[in-house]
Amino acid sequence: MAVVVSNANAPAFEAKMTVYVFICVMIAAVGGLIFGYDIGISGGVSAMDDFLKEFFPAVWERKKHVHENNYCKYDNQFLQLFTSSLYLAALVASFFASATCSKLGRRPTMQFASIFFLIGVGLTAGAVNLVMLIIGRLFLGFGVGFGNQAVPLFLSEIAPAQLRGGLNIVFQLMVTIGILIANIVNYFTATVHPYGWRIALGGAGIPAVILLFGSLLIIETPTSLIERNKNEEGKEALRKIRGVDDINDEYESIVHACDIASQVKDPYRKLLKPASRPPFIIGMLLQLFQQFTGINAIMFYAPVLFQTVGFGSDAALLSAVITGTINVLATFVGIYLVDKTGRRFLLLQSSVHMLICQLIIGIILAKDLGITGTLGRPQALVVVIFVCVYVMGFAWSWGPLGWLIPSETFPLETRSAGFAVAVSCNMFFTFIIAQAFLSMLCGMRSGIFFFFSAWIIVMGLFAFFFIPETKGIAIDDMRESVWKPHWFWKRYMLPEDDHHDVEKRNA
């Protein structure tokens, strides 16, 4: 399949969607599979009695009581730390991963991610005490930090511009598949006593091995090669992934971007310059908004949540499998639509979509679920249905676009550093939600859904006014085609000598 990449301000770049590019995309996106598996597995394991008896006996004792508090039975800071410690480590690791991406390339960074994952899997699956368990989660976090830094950059740089959105969303597709696989594993291993939780945690080793050896088969991105002064290798790599002979225009465009990038000695300082603010601010806020949709609260603790509204343990895990399936299928919708309808349409549509779902869930729980007891079967089914509809809206919008937009909007000179900041912000806000959710559920009860609803209103307004469309625009042409024409961000797109005037005007 041939596509022509063009816009009003840039030359046309001819490219084919080759089988080799497809293979590279699928192998690299396994990094998303590992991330998704880690997201999904922690919630199911946290609900397993054998796991709780081993590491969190106080939670297990509380869970056994017949008249337990529906909202507080899992409220334990160490149990939350089991989930959240991974994201704290990923936050720190993303900055090391940024340097590795720049100095060594995207492919070696993915290989480091695989090694960290495998060490973490060994420690968590073989844990004999809480300290060993948490240290294992920290190693998994380093794997997430390195993988989430390298994979979206790799996908954005290897894809033709007209297909970049869909190919980049394959990362999020793999995240959703990982979550689904984790939910299925949780469902079956919950009945394997007393070591079902070890099997569940050890399963993350399989995709980590696939990524480690699969990364030996894929090519380094042309941008990364040229950025590291391997111009001839970069040119051959570009010819290989585009599947055409006439790659000179795109090659010269990348060389020009690399020449500019080479003049920037401190990309993190460059991020603070006015011209870097549009992608920098949007990249950070997208990570905040992605987590404060409430999605990870649902995906981390879906089994716990469904037990809270009245499903038994097995039924709760099965309901989590259902939501995971919906998550995967809806991501395919995002892959199909993102390069057709554009990024902004999906963000705005889903904001309304998710807001309605959160409000309905919150109203049902506020009205019908007391501190003790359960929901009636009809109300519980309605909650599950609207959780599924909510997940559907997230899966084709804020989920994948939270990774896609930052990976494609930074110029080359700040791309790795800027995306590292975005990844670290994502991990920080994920850590906050993972560490606080069960306590928030205990304290706010059904009000937690109204809390997330308020955030959805804020993010929808931000998307409407401040997020520009990037569909079909070459990755190194964002300044001319996206930021300069934008009603708000154009004020920062001035010659370098005029930036101090912007600073004064905004002071």
Side-chain angles (χ1 to χ4, degrees):
M1 179 177 64
V3 296
V4 175
V5 177
S6 65
N7 58 61
N9 299 301
F13 299 143
E14 185 180 355
K16 292 180 180 178
M17 180 57 202
T18 64
V19 173
Y20 183 71
V21 167
F22 178 78
I23 292 172
C24 287
V25 167
M26 296 307 296
I27 290 174
V30 172
L33 183 69
I34 305 171
F35 182 37
Y37 189 90
D38 282 326
I39 290 175
I41 209 70
S42 57
V45 167
S46 298
M48 293 183 187
D49 287 344
D50 292 325
F51 177 79
L52 293 175
K53 282 189 287 186
E54 183 82 19
F55 298 104
F56 307 98
V59 177
W60 179 66
E61 288 293 337
R62 193 186 314 152
K63 182 183 175 184
K64 289 194 301 182
H65 296 145
V66 177
H67 298 295
E68 62 196 355
N69 186 313
N70 272 323
Y71 296 99
C72 298
K73 60 186 173 183
Y74 291 98
D75 180 23
N76 181 281
Q77 288 298 311
F78 286 109
L79 180 59
Q80 292 173 115
L81 184 64
F82 162 69
T83 297
S84 64
S85 57
L86 182 150
Y87 302 96
L88 192 60
L91 187 161
V92 176
S94 61
F95 292 101
F96 292 99
S98 171
T100 305
C101 264
S102 297
K103 301 295 184 183
L104 301 179
R106 284 49 164 159
R107 192 175 68 164
T109 307
M110 287 186 254
Q111 292 167 346
F112 280 119
S114 304
I115 294 169
F116 283 126
F117 275 125
L118 289 172
I119 295 172
V121 167
L123 288 170
T124 53
V128 295
N129 54 53
L130 184 58
V131 172
M132 187 174 175
L133 186 71
I134 298 301
I135 291 174
R137 292 289 288 179
L138 292 175
F139 271 99
L140 290 173
F142 267 82
V144 167
F146 273 69
N148 286 16
Q149 171 73 17
V151 173
L153 288 181
F154 178 90
L155 296 177
S156 286
E157 291 177 350
I158 205 171
Q162 294 298 91
L163 302 174
R164 188 177 62 243
L167 292 181
N168 192 285
I169 289 179
V170 173
F171 174 76
Q172 180 67 18
L173 173 65
M174 286 296 198
V175 173
T176 63
I177 292 174
I179 294 171
L180 174 59
I181 292 173
N183 288 333
I184 294 172
V185 170
N186 283 333
Y187 179 72
F188 286 104
T189 58
T191 58
V192 179
H193 303 291
Y195 297 119
W197 61 272
R198 294 190 187 276
I199 299 172
L201 293 176
I206 297 173
V209 170
I210 294 173
L211 180 61
L212 178 61
F213 289 100
S215 62
L216 299 175
L217 305 176
I218 63 178
I219 199 167
E220 183 58 87
T221 71
T223 299
S224 177
L225 290 167
I226 296 169
E227 184 181 25
R228 291 178 289 123
N229 298 315
K230 299 180 179 181
N231 289 34
E232 286 305 313
E233 291 181 45
K235 193 169 188 176
E236 287 306 310
L238 185 62
R239 183 174 285 111
K240 186 171 185 177
I241 64 174
R242 293 295 178 253
V244 297
D245 292 326
D246 185 14
I247 48 89
N248 287 331
D249 287 341
E250 186 173 4
Y251 172 75
E252 292 300 329
S253 174
I254 296 173
V255 170
H256 177 66
C258 289
D259 287 341
I260 295 174
S262 66
Q263 299 171 22
V264 177
K265 303 304 179 186
D266 187 348
Y268 289 100
R269 184 182 295 273
K270 179 74 172 178
L271 283 174
L272 301 178
K273 299 289 186 180
S276 299
R277 285 180 191 167
F280 185 60
I281 292 171
I282 288 174
M284 287 195 300
L285 288 180
L286 277 173
Q287 310 315 311
L288 169 68
F289 293 150
Q290 187 190 73
Q291 301 312 310
F292 279 77
T293 58
I295 185 63
N296 276 341
I298 286 177
M299 300 313 292
F300 284 150
Y301 302 111
V304 174
L305 179 64
F306 289 135
Q307 283 189 29
T308 295
V309 300
F311 288 82
S313 179
D314 289 346
L317 289 170
L318 182 59
S319 298
V321 171
I322 293 171
T323 59
T325 304
I326 296 293
N327 198 12
V328 172
L329 295 176
T331 304
F332 280 106
V333 176
I335 291 174
Y336 177 77
L337 291 178
V338 68
D339 290 315
K340 295 182 181 295
T341 64
R343 284 65 159 153
R344 289 186 79 248
F345 173 82
L346 292 177
L347 292 174
L348 295 172
Q349 179 277 329
S350 65
S351 294
V352 176
H353 178 140
M354 292 189 296
L355 175 63
I356 293 171
C357 293
Q358 289 273 24
L359 290 174
I360 291 175
I361 294 169
I363 289 170
I364 291 174
L365 296 185
K367 179 175 177 290
D368 296 321
L369 183 65
I371 294 177
T372 59
T374 62
L375 283 178
R377 180 62 57 176
Q379 294 96 323
L381 287 175
V382 170
V383 168
V384 171
I385 289 170
F386 275 97
V387 165
C388 290
V389 175
Y390 163 85
V391 168
M392 190 184 304
F394 178 87
W396 65 53
S397 61
W398 289 92
L401 297 182
W403 297 107
L404 168 60
I405 293 174
S407 74
E408 68 181 1
T409 51
F410 284 101
L412 180 59
E413 62 264 28
T414 57
R415 188 172 300 155
S416 183
F419 196 68
V421 172
V423 171
S424 65
C425 286
N426 186 285
M427 295 302 113
F428 174 73
F429 294 123
T430 305
F431 167 77
I432 294 296
I433 290 296
Q435 186 64 28
F437 174 72
L438 291 178
S439 298
M440 291 170 66
L441 182 64
C442 179
M444 300 174 70
R445 301 177 189 172
S446 59
I448 194 170
F449 292 94
F450 300 112
F451 170 81
F452 288 128
S453 295
W455 276 101
I456 291 174
I457 293 172
V458 172
M459 68 184 66
L461 292 173
F462 181 83
F464 182 80
F465 289 107
F466 297 109
I467 297 183
E469 184 55 67
T470 54
K471 178 184 72 171
I473 297 172
I475 193 169
D476 290 312
D477 193 46
M478 294 292 171
R479 177 183 173 92
E480 297 298 323
S481 299
V482 173
W483 307 121
K484 282 188 174 180
H486 191 270
W487 73 273
F488 180 80
W489 301 119
K490 66 182 180 182
R491 69 187 66 189
Y492 298 105
M493 298 296 112
L494 299 174
E496 197 68 32
D497 292 341
D498 295 335
H499 282 165
H500 68 279
D501 295 331
V502 175
E503 298 278 10
K504 291 179 180 178
R505 195 159 55 241
N506 293 335

